[in-house]
Amino acid sequence: MVSGLYDPRHTWLHAIPAGTKLALLSLAGTTVFLTSSPLLLLAVASLSAAIYLSLRSTTRTARRAVLLSAVFSSCIGLFHLWQGNPTVAAASALQLFSATALAVSFTVTTRYDAVLDAVNRGLLPLRALGLKTDRLSLALALMLRFADHFFVQWHKLDESYRLRTGRSPGIRLMAPLCLRMLEASVRISDALAVRIGDPSDECASPRRSTINRNER
Amino acid sequence: MKHTYASTAQIALFAALTAALGMIPKIDLPLGVPVTPQTLGVMLAGCLIGGRRAFAAMTLFLLAVAMGLPLLSGGRGGLGVFAAPSAGYLLGWPLGALVTGYVLSVLPHATPRSATVSAAAAALIGGLCVVHACGVVGLVLMAKLSWNQALFATLAFVPGDLLKCVLCAMVVRSVARGMPHWYSQGSKA
């Protein structure tokens, strides 16, 4: 199973509900990208760095992302400096660094299912417009399940090809993998219709009614 | 009812394929924009399951990334990736997939040969032009580059993406030959 960047070791940021953190992060992100004052951005960047550093070892899984962000922010800053725009250099580097540090702090302290709950709550008003928000959890679960499944399929195809030819298959596996995936999508939609289909649709699907009888 | 589940399954499976393509190592170029095989997933989704489902598949994938799952090339994930200079490219994936699917739907694709040529054209317009256009906007907004500088920066990725268009067309040809019913009914099942 794909494991997330969340770290369960408790910090002060873990105690804040996911929805609140998400709202604060959106607000901070918008503010950071709407202002271009280097002094204000320096203050926000210092605050972001303080929040990030206060989480100590929980940020271990995402340190590479922050390091890369710092390197890229510096490169962009140096590029603008070379172009003779010191204000733009400072603003763009600080904006990128602040946004990344805040976003990483959110990610490592918020459980995947808590984010999903917050997103589902945020999408509730869209139900009035006919959007089936309950399908979101199902689609996410299927996606994570089949990401692993495809890795296994890829390895099986890779081994078969190597045994047959003695060479690495490279991108040749893409076509058979896609064919298997499309075939799988048909089987999965059948299985979903059987397992969680609408009972009122039973007459239209004799296979499901047979299976339901067997299950009883 | 089955139509809805087919739609959900295809959306989830193509989001999963995009995640699986992320296992292939990326190459980082200057300005923080990585070359990743995952854009092939954008092109394939548009060509194989239609524009709207492909849009949903890419949105689902990006939602999972935003939730903190390390599904992007190099094990990247979380909201931080949307604050990087490459954010425009990422946010362009759903739009690119939508346009790829739409372009393929209006071009002839009844035979394997026509599907191959149309898929190459659709991938070029949606998976390359649209995604790069979004990427350029991202570079201008996030990295504060000028339009010319951003356009110049994105040109470095065009040769790699042209190869992905060819690869996408080859996969579509294999599907059109191996599952000839797919374009007539399967993708809309």
Side-chain angles (χ1 to χ4, degrees):
Chain A
M1 194 69 185
V2 179
S3 58
L5 299 171
Y6 171 74
D7 193 309
R9 283 173 290 184
H10 196 79
T11 66
W12 64 273
L13 204 51
H14 282 79
I16 301 175
T20 311
K21 275 190 279 192
L22 205 53
L24 288 172
L25 182 66
S26 306
L27 188 69
T30 311
T31 310
V32 159
F33 282 99
L34 283 181
T35 183
S36 55
S37 158
L39 276 179
L40 183 60
L41 285 169
L42 186 64
V44 176
S46 307
L47 183 67
S48 308
I51 292 172
Y52 175 80
L53 291 172
S54 73
L55 303 175
R56 296 171 187 271
S57 57
T58 44
T59 56
R60 187 170 43 87
T61 51
R63 265 180 203 157
R64 192 165 162 264
V66 174
L67 190 67
L68 278 174
S69 167
V71 170
F72 293 142
S73 303
S74 309
C75 287
I76 287 163
L78 287 172
F79 175 76
H80 286 301
L81 212 55
W82 175 61
Q83 295 279 308
N85 300 317
T87 314
V88 178
S92 53
L94 291 171
Q95 280 172 343
L96 288 171
F97 176 76
S98 307
T100 307
L102 287 174
V104 165
S105 303
F106 171 83
T107 301
V108 297
T109 59
T110 315
R111 284 181 64 88
Y112 159 76
D113 49 357
V115 183
L116 185 60
D117 280 347
V119 170
N120 271 329
R121 279 200 304 276
L123 291 176
L124 272 179
L126 294 177
R127 281 192 182 177
L129 300 173
L131 191 79
K132 290 172 181 165
T133 54
D134 51 335
R135 284 284 155 83
L136 185 65
S137 309
L138 173 66
L140 272 170
L142 277 176
M143 184 195 114
L144 296 176
R145 173 68 188 83
F146 284 99
D148 284 346
H149 174 73
F150 289 138
F151 296 146
V152 174
Q153 289 283 317
W154 182 278
H155 283 300
K156 280 182 181 172
L157 290 168
D158 183 81
E159 279 176 19
S160 310
Y161 189 90
R162 281 175 197 273
L163 281 172
R164 278 200 315 274
T165 65
R167 286 181 289 135
S168 167
I171 55 172
R172 289 183 188 88
L173 298 182
M174 191 51 72
L177 187 75
C178 283
L179 281 168
R180 286 187 181 198
M181 199 174 66
L182 295 176
E183 286 163 356
S185 77
V186 177
R187 287 198 303 272
I188 292 161
S189 60
D190 281 347
L192 287 174
V194 166
R195 282 188 171 260
I196 51 177
D198 183 356
S200 63
D201 196 39
E202 192 166 288
C203 298
S205 176
R207 188 159 32 141
R208 184 191 322 139
S209 53
T210 309
I211 289 175
N212 284 347
R213 269 199 302 275
N214 291 342
E215 281 176 352
R216 279 181 216 130
Chain B
M1 181 59 64
K2 194 187 162 194
H3 173 88
T4 313
Y5 288 125
S7 183
T8 306
Q10 286 174 4
I11 289 166
L13 288 180
F14 273 85
L17 175 74
T18 310
L21 288 172
M23 291 300 283
I24 300 171
K26 71 182 172 78
I27 305 163
D28 280 317
L29 292 184
L31 291 173
V33 186
V35 174
T36 150
Q38 285 185 311
T39 43
L40 181 61
V42 177
M43 298 172 185
L44 285 172
C47 288
L48 293 175
I49 58 172
R52 284 198 306 172
R53 289 176 185 180
F55 177 87
M58 292 305 120
T59 307
L60 178 70
F61 175 78
L62 292 182
L63 184 66
V65 169
M67 285 179 185
L69 296 173
L71 300 175
L72 288 172
S73 289
R76 293 172 305 138
L79 283 171
V81 296
F82 296 98
S86 58
Y89 292 93
L90 281 183
L91 296 173
W93 287 6
L95 196 61
L98 179 73
V99 173
T100 303
Y102 176 74
V103 172
L104 186 69
S105 72
V106 296
L107 291 175
H109 55 269
T111 63
R113 177 175 286 194
S114 62
T116 308
V117 176
S118 299
L124 186 74
I125 295 168
L128 196 152
C129 295
V130 172
V131 172
H132 279 260
C134 295
V136 165
V137 173
L139 285 173
V140 169
L141 293 177
M142 306 289 282
K144 301 282 184 286
L145 298 183
S146 69
W147 288 100
N148 283 342
Q149 288 166 341
L151 272 172
F152 186 73
T154 205
L155 281 178
F157 308 99
V158 171
D161 281 351
L162 281 172
L163 282 174
K164 288 177 212 165
C165 292
V166 174
L167 185 59
C168 173
M170 287 163 64
V171 172
V172 167
R173 187 184 61 171
S174 299
V175 171
R177 283 179 172 174
M179 297 176 77
H181 59 282
W182 184 256
Y183 281 110
S184 56
Q185 50 181 283
S187 60
K188 299 173 184 68

